[in-house]
Amino acid sequence: MKTDKEIEEMFGLTREDIEELAAPWEAGEIPGVPVGEVIVGRPLKFGEHLKLVGFKETEQKIERMDKRADSLGMKRSDYLRWLVDRDLAAAGIA
């Protein structure tokens, strides 16, 4: 386990620096421009019937899909939904 001094040297911040940086966040004052509510996961579909959509693909392509989804901060299913939504919007039938 690292000591406080080792951690401070590693990150270049003292405990006091961290407390000062954390104070606005703890008070609910998040700096920057608000971009809207962050929603994680599958969109809710209340009132609509859902059907399973699936297809088979090679392991190599699935690995590449997962890597791309991860780079976008998504799960595979969210990534695939996002791609379909973008394509339908581009075709004007979303």
Side-chain angles (χ1 to χ4, degrees), residues 42-74:
R42 179 185 57 78
L44 298 177
K45 302 287 186 179
F46 293 115
E48 295 184 48
H49 293 283
L50 301 177
K51 286 187 169 183
L52 178 63
V53 177
F55 59 95
K56 293 185 179 194
E57 194 52 82
T58 65
E59 289 182 16
Q60 293 81 14
K61 192 174 282 186
I62 291 170
E63 288 173 6
R64 292 193 305 264
M65 282 190 278
D66 289 346
K67 184 176 180 180
R68 177 64 175 145
D70 187 55
S71 75
L72 295 169
M74 299 178 178

Side-chain angles (χ1 to χ4, degrees), residues 69-81:
D70 187 55
S71 75
L72 295 169
M74 299 178 178
K75 294 181 180 178
R76 182 192 312 154
S77 57
D78 296 324
Y79 172 63
L80 294 173
R81 283 187 196 93

